[in-house]
Amino acid sequence: MEQDRHSIAPEVHPDEQLPFDEHDFVAHFQRVSISGEDTSGVPLDDLERASTLLVKALELREKYMRNSHQVFPQTTARFLKSTHSSTITHQERKSIADHPVNPPQSTQSPWVIEIPEDLNYSVRAVNGVFEVFRSEETEEPLPYHYPRLPDFVQDMQMMCSMIADGPLKSFCYRRLSYLYSKFQLHVLLNELRELASQKAVPHRDFYNIRKVDTHIHAASCMNQKHLLRFIKKTLKNSADEVVTVTKGNPMTLAQVFQSMNLTTYDLTVDMLDVHADRNTFHRFDKFNAKYNPIGESRLREVFLKTDNYLNGKYFANIIKEVASDFEESKYQNAELRLSIYGKSPDEWYKLAKWAIDGNVYSDNIRWLIQIPRLYDIFKTNKLMSSFQQILDNVFKPLFDATNNPSQHPEVHTFLQYVIGFDSVDDESKPENPLFDGDVTPPAQWTDEENPPYAYYIYYMYANMTVLNHFRAARGMNTFVLRPHCGEAGPVQHLVCGYLMAENISHGLLLRKVPVLQYLYYLAQIGIAMSPLSNNSLFLNYDRNPFPEYLARGLVVSLSTDDPLQFHYTKEPLMEEYSIAAQVWKLSSCDMCELARNSVLMSGFPHKMKQHWLGPNYTREGVAGNDITRTNVPDIRVAFRYESLLDELANIFKVNNEQKMQYASQQ
């Protein structure tokens, strides 16, 4: 091994013309370089085969991301383009003056927006996926392409056989081990330099850099003490307000508590019993029951639902209190999950009306819509006849609001602040895998059995893809897919996430699948991890793979999941960071890198991200880092970027050589 004390310019594609000298953005630090041509440590045949398979897998993901208007990382895309000999365009670098540190705040109401004209197109479901037609009589839909189900199943099968391939597993495991060791050496050689560059930055430290809670559920975004105080305050001030109807009889809040023989004095945090404990470990059913304060589903309905007798009035108030805490801290933001169950077509209208009437808005909050996989329960209770009904109820209102916004103004307005979709439920439930052949279309899925995870994710992705094309054509915001994935259950879920999701939540099972973990690294797929949540449900804290993922360079962030169940303080995200820092001895640089990752993978608007990370945050490597805003040293960013370049160059060099050799033989 040789230590190189001189700065090395990152590799630039020959077709790429930079409008500035890239050497300006090369950090000076101690690098470790490996001598010799082949540094993979595997036989040449295995290396060639591994390169071919990995490039094929990256091309697959790029296809799915491009189709659905989701983000694929520039660096990896650049290498993929080099295999097709196409040119690359670069953005012009902006100066700080182009983007002032304190942008002017809008005084206009967030709910006052321009309503585009109606198109009056026809929207119909074809084999479970909504298509847009210019009129009722038109038989040919608008050319919004998405992968068909048989193609997806074929891609899934190819990926599944790939992750089980012995030589490829060995290769990926070796590369991941190498990346881990490389990071340990980097820290050994450069930790003091990173710390010195952080100390040299005025004003910024870990407390005043932007961080986003990338995985948190709205119904449990407050801690238990906050919920208790809110219930007591509401009971004191609104005791005579009718809050529910039981057996045809209206009941006031005071009567609800009288029926439980409780007064405000009796209420305690222990009595609320919303905290996860040792009894919830591997018991998702018991964990779900913790959403019911005092074990009463009535209280959950009154205080933690958007659709109830009071139209979610109390829930809106407590969310606004949480939002004001975020605004007070200034540097913390959250992407809250709200539920759309697919039980009825007016759920979207009610949810939008709840947000607008209750004025549930904050610059620090954006919404993700979670769709629970509950078809089997709806079917058992005879609420629907086929899976197609869920798809109709979830997606038809979105197409209608995009097609004719003036007829659905509330939904159209609310969607400005929705960034994507999440899929939630217990992943460890047994399920039949999705095989090829005659896969039942949604309209014919009438069994009481729940469709597999991949079936749900495919139809969410396919409908979202057509919707994104439609909305992009109208100049409206588009959505991303960010499902719960790899928390438990089969590893095939992670294959779905790899193909179709921009980011995922949890990803614990990647620790068992080196091929997928390496692909998640190469494709820089964001993983929102919640070690405290996992500790209560599926995996003890000390066994969490989070520190290994971070060391290897996967794009991970810390998130809270459910502060109501897992956290004690007023700032649950800071609690999550502080415990991780103590247990895994994270440095200040590690913490700031995690915060920067959380902003990058979040769905907040581009202008906000420019303000939080710097005007050039979308650029590759050090050119995209502004230490005065992120507090992440250029040394760390350069190390991550150069490591990724090395890995990609390793794979694509061999792959391109193979192609040239094959072409010369023809």
Side-chain angles (χ1 to χ4, degrees):
M1 283 197 180
E2 306 162 355
Q3 278 187 26
D4 179 5
R5 295 174 181 273
H6 304 290
S7 64
I8 302 170
E11 180 185 330
V12 178
H13 192 277
D15 293 333
E16 192 171 352
Q17 298 299 316
L18 300 183
F20 51 84
D21 186 355
E22 71 272 13
H23 293 272
D24 295 343
F25 304 106
V26 179
H28 293 262
F29 63 98
Q30 289 188 306
R31 292 162 171 81
V32 176
S33 60
I34 310 294
S35 58
E37 282 190 17
D38 180 17
T39 59
S40 63
V42 298
L44 185 61
D45 288 352
D46 285 0
L47 176 59
E48 289 177 347
R49 190 158 175 277
S51 298
T52 305
L53 291 172
L54 291 169
V55 170
K56 197 178 290 183
L58 288 170
E59 286 174 339
L60 263 186
R61 173 167 170 82
E62 197 268 340
K63 177 186 78 175
Y64 279 85
M65 292 299 99
R66 187 179 65 248
N67 270 331
S68 59
H69 287 262
Q70 296 184 94
V71 174
F72 190 80
Q74 289 182 61
T75 310
T76 313
R78 183 152 55 82
F79 277 88
L80 280 174
K81 284 177 181 176
S82 72
T83 64
H84 304 299
S85 306
S86 58
T87 57
I88 295 119
T89 56
H90 238 287
Q91 311 135 281
E92 186 183 344
R93 182 170 171 78
K94 295 176 184 147
S95 70
I96 296 292
D98 294 331
H99 197 85
V101 174
N102 294 308
Q105 298 296 313
S106 171
T107 54
Q108 188 176 320
S109 163
W111 307 114
V112 177
I113 64 166
E114 191 180 332
I115 307 265
E117 63 175 337
D118 293 351
L119 292 178
N120 293 311
Y121 285 176
S122 172
V123 176
R124 317 194 273 278
V126 181
N127 292 326
V129 181
F130 283 94
E131 301 264 25
V132 183
F133 301 81
R134 291 198 181 276
S135 68
E136 288 287 349
E137 296 75 34
T138 314
E139 293 184 10
E140 195 64 34
L142 293 175
Y144 298 152
H145 299 295
Y146 63 92
R148 298 306 194 257
L149 184 60
D151 297 336
F152 164 65
V153 172
Q154 194 177 337
D155 293 340
M156 274 281 292
Q157 287 185 322
M158 190 182 87
M159 288 295 303
C160 288
S161 63
M162 204 182 286
I163 63 176
D165 183 86
L168 185 58
K169 275 202 287 194
S170 298
F171 174 78
C172 293
Y173 176 74
R174 280 173 175 272
R175 296 317 297 170
L176 290 168
S177 301
Y178 169 73
L179 284 166
Y180 183 80
S181 303
K182 190 177 180 181
F183 179 73
Q184 304 305 327
L185 274 171
H186 169 79
V187 170
L188 202 63
L189 295 170
N190 298 295
E191 189 171 22
L192 293 177
R193 293 181 187 199
E194 289 182 340
L195 186 59
S197 62
Q198 283 188 306
K199 285 180 178 175
V201 178
H203 179 65
R204 287 288 167 218
D205 54 40
F206 171 68
Y207 291 92
N208 63 14
I209 54 172
R210 260 65 180 202
K211 35 198 107 51
V212 180
D213 197 339
T214 45
H215 172 204
I216 174 171
H217 301 275
S220 56
C221 65
M222 68 303 290
N223 64 39
Q224 52 182 350
K225 186 67 178 172
H226 186 168
L227 180 62
L228 178 70
R229 277 201 321 270
F230 182 80
I231 290 175
K232 283 186 169 186
K233 180 176 69 178
T234 310
L235 186 54
K236 183 179 175 184
N237 297 334
S238 309
D240 298 328
E241 192 166 21
V242 176
V243 294
T244 186
V245 175
T246 305
K247 295 177 182 175
N249 299 318
M251 290 182 78
T252 64
L253 193 58
Q255 288 171 331
V256 168
F257 277 87
Q258 281 165 11
S259 69
M260 295 185 286
N261 294 321
L262 287 174
T263 65
T264 50
Y265 181 77
D266 299 324
L267 287 173
T268 64
V269 158
D270 293 336
M271 187 175 283
L272 272 188
D273 193 28
V274 290
H275 237 238
D277 52 32
R278 66 187 70 177
N279 297 317
T280 57
F281 197 70
H282 282 278
R283 286 295 301 274
F284 213 80
D285 54 336
K286 286 192 173 183
F287 169 70
N288 275 338
K290 293 288 183 184
Y291 274 94
N292 299 324
I294 322 178
E296 288 279 342
S297 58
R298 267 187 305 176
L299 290 187
R300 180 179 180 176
E301 184 195 324
V302 169
F303 288 101
L304 300 175
K305 291 280 187 184
T306 58
D307 180 17
N308 55 24
Y309 186 84
L310 289 173
N311 298 319
K313 175 183 166 184
Y314 294 160
F315 188 42
N317 289 342
I318 196 166
I319 293 280
K320 285 195 280 190
E321 287 183 11
V322 171
S324 80
D325 287 343
F326 283 133
E327 288 162 11
E328 191 182 321
S329 74
K330 186 178 176 183
Y331 298 100
Q332 293 180 50
N333 306 273
E335 299 178 321
L336 300 181
R337 270 82 174 153
L338 291 169
S339 293
I340 288 285
Y341 294 91
K343 273 197 292 191
S344 72
D346 61 353
E347 280 182 84
W348 276 104
Y349 168 73
K350 288 179 178 175
L351 184 62
K353 195 166 169 45
W354 167 80
I356 295 168
D357 290 355
N359 194 26
V360 192
Y361 172 82
S362 166
D363 282 341
N364 298 60
I365 283 176
R366 286 296 179 272
W367 305 109
L368 270 155
I369 300 301
Q370 61 181 27
I371 300 168
R373 299 187 298 280
L374 299 178
Y375 164 79
D376 52 340
I377 292 169
F378 298 155
K379 178 68 177 170
T380 305
N381 292 324
K382 296 185 168 47
L383 293 174
M384 54 191 52
S385 56
S386 72
F387 185 71
Q388 180 64 48
Q389 273 183 271
I390 285 189
L391 295 175
D392 289 346
N393 294 338
V394 170
F395 287 103
K396 184 67 163 57
L398 300 179
F399 278 93
D400 290 343
T402 305
N403 186 19
N404 298 324
S406 69
Q407 295 174 31
H408 311 273
E410 290 94 348
V411 177
H412 169 72
T413 304
F414 176 64
L415 289 178
Q416 306 300 308
Y417 306 107
V418 172
I419 57 177
F421 299 97
D422 191 352
S423 168
V424 292
D425 197 20
D426 179 6
E427 282 190 71
S428 59
K429 284 180 183 175
E431 63 176 38
N432 294 320
L434 192 63
F435 290 116
D436 64 342
D438 187 23
V439 179
T440 312
Q444 292 167 30
W445 192 290
T446 54
D447 305 342
E448 293 202 350
E449 186 183 339
N450 211 22
Y453 179 92
Y455 193 85
Y456 269 99
I457 298 292
Y458 169 76
Y459 281 107
M460 282 176 67
Y461 168 86
N463 281 292
M464 187 193 83
T465 297
V466 179
L467 181 63
N468 278 351
H469 281 297
F470 192 23
R471 290 181 69 80
R474 302 219 62 192
M476 298 176 183
N477 61 309
T478 56
F479 307 115
V480 298
L481 185 58
R482 306 247 301 267
H484 282 53
C485 185
E487 184 179 20
V491 295
Q492 282 80 2
H493 296 185
L494 285 162
V495 176
C496 288
Y498 172 77
L499 289 174
M500 295 188 290
E502 184 175 288
N503 301 328
I504 63 165
S505 298
H506 295 301
L508 294 178
L509 292 174
L510 280 176
R511 72 189 193 279
K512 297 182 177 180
V513 199
V515 177
L516 266 184
Q517 190 181 143
Y518 190 53
L519 281 168
Y520 270 69
Y521 167 71
L522 294 176
Q524 294 287 283
I525 300 171
I527 307 169
M529 301 194 73
S530 310
L532 286 176
S533 163
N534 302 145
N535 182 61
S536 291
L537 286 168
F538 290 108
L539 189 69
N540 289 340
Y541 203 97
D542 57 332
R543 293 184 57 211
N544 198 291
F546 173 82
E548 285 80 32
Y549 291 0
L550 175 63
R552 286 165 183 160
L554 278 82
V555 183
V556 289
S557 69
L558 280 171
S559 56
T560 57
D561 198 353
D562 295 288
L564 183 64
Q565 276 81 18
F566 306 120
H567 298 78
Y568 288 89
T569 64
K570 188 180 176 182
E571 294 189 323
L573 186 59
M574 293 299 277
E575 189 179 338
E576 192 81 45
Y577 272 95
S578 63
I579 292 172
Q582 295 289 347
V583 173
W584 291 313
K585 298 181 171 59
L586 302 179
S587 69
S588 166
C589 183
D590 296 333
M591 305 269 276
C592 293
E593 184 182 12
L594 289 169
R596 179 174 181 262
N597 284 350
S598 74
V599 175
L600 284 170
M601 72 169 75
S602 76
F604 279 84
H606 174 64
K607 287 284 184 196
M608 276 191 176
K609 288 188 182 181
Q610 281 190 315
H611 175 46
W612 295 347
L613 301 178
N616 304 292
Y617 80 92
T618 55
R619 296 187 57 78
E620 297 175 49
V622 178
N625 184 47
D626 179 357
I627 189 171
T628 62
R629 304 196 197 199
T630 64
N631 207 35
V632 180
D634 286 347
I635 292 172
R636 176 62 64 89
V637 176
F639 169 75
R640 294 296 190 200
Y641 178 58
E642 290 171 23
S643 297
L644 179 61
L645 281 180
D646 286 346
E647 293 303 311
L648 289 166
N650 226 352
I651 293 158
F652 280 86
K653 181 185 172 192
V654 176
N655 184 259
N656 290 343
E657 283 173 358
Q658 277 182 287
K659 283 187 174 179
M660 287 168 66
Q661 192 177 350
Y662 178 77
S664 65
Q665 289 170 356
Q666 294 302 307

